[in-house]
Amino acid sequence: AVQINFVVTAVLASGLTAGSLAALNYGWIIMLLPQGVIAQSVATALFPTLAALVAQGKRAEMRRIFGTTLRSLFFLTLPAAAGLIILRVPIVRLLERGAFNAESTRLTTWALGFFALGLVGHAAVEITTRAFYALKNTKTPVVVAVATMVINVGLSLVLMNLFAGLDWPPHGGLALANSIAVTLEMVALLVLLRPQMGGLA
């Protein structure tokens, strides 16, 4: 589902102004840096702990550890997202060299600002899916991911055209669609996880 999202975004961006696809790729990569350092590393370390607690029947302890981890993740990713949005211009300017010029910076900062809005969602999805896996439920995250993919494609088409109509760089609509979709995915996964864990601490 994630890969199909990338393909659809690439196809839509390739029909836009020259440099739009590259700007989306750079914005995505920059947003992934804190997501990878914080969320993926935490999720990788968290999974065996959650799986062991489920196997031992310690749901209350699992719920406590998951809640603590989720709060810590929000504590780190919210300021990281704010930092990416506020400092996006100086961050992207570090890339300026060769063919990557001021126009490239403008297009990339436009994408990065909207991608950064989804950083918290991307991070939460990483650990929430691991909780489902620990509970031996792989179906729910896949169904939600496919639904998110459909929403993302629909939002991409709508927001890309909306941005173009407002005379804004249309690729920003693609980045915003991704952020909205992943935030909805986070909410859906947490809502569906709650009854399986007996609540969320």
Side-chain angles (χ1 to χ4, degrees):
V2 172
Q3 293 306 315
I4 292 173
N5 269 333
F6 286 144
V7 170
V8 170
T9 299
V11 168
L12 292 174
S14 64
L16 301 176
T17 308
S20 296
L21 180 56
L24 280 171
N25 287 334
Y26 279 120
W28 176 253
I29 290 168
I30 295 169
M31 187 279 293
L32 279 185
L33 289 174
Q35 196 263 355
V37 170
I38 299 169
Q40 288 186 353
S41 56
V42 168
T44 302
L46 179 67
F47 176 64
T49 302
L50 296 183
L53 290 172
V54 170
Q56 296 165 17
K58 298 179 179 178
R59 291 293 177 94
E61 181 66 7
M62 178 200 180
R63 185 168 61 248
R64 185 188 68 78
I65 290 177
F66 177 82
T68 301
T69 305
L70 188 62
R71 284 194 299 274
S72 299
L73 207 60
F74 286 157
F75 181 77
L76 294 170
T77 54
L78 279 168
L84 285 176
I85 293 168
I86 295 168
L87 302 173
R88 64 189 184 278
V89 174
I91 289 172
V92 176
R93 276 185 181 153
L94 294 173
L95 300 172
E96 281 189 18
R97 58 179 59 84
F100 197 96
N101 53 28
E103 178 62 10
S104 303
T105 294
R106 186 184 74 84
L107 292 174
T108 302
T109 55
W110 191 257
L112 177 58
F114 288 112
F115 273 135
L117 293 173
L119 177 59
V120 174
H122 283 290
V125 166
E126 285 287 338
I127 69 162
T128 308
T129 53
R130 297 311 197 284
F132 277 104
Y133 298 157
L135 291 164
K136 296 181 173 58
N137 180 348
T138 55
K139 180 180 178 181
T140 300
V142 172
V143 170
V144 173
V146 171
T148 301
M149 177 196 70
V150 174
I151 291 170
N152 186 35
V153 171
L155 283 173
S156 293
L157 294 169
V158 171
L159 292 175
M160 184 179 68
N161 291 318
L162 176 63
F163 275 42
L166 294 170
D167 203 25
W168 295 349
H171 70 283
L174 298 176
L176 179 58
N178 180 280
S179 293
I180 293 173
V182 77
T183 302
L184 293 174
E185 181 179 12
M186 172 191 72
V187 172
L189 287 173
L190 288 172
V191 168
L192 294 170
L193 180 64
R194 184 171 186 165
Q196 295 196 33
M197 292 182 64
L200 291 176

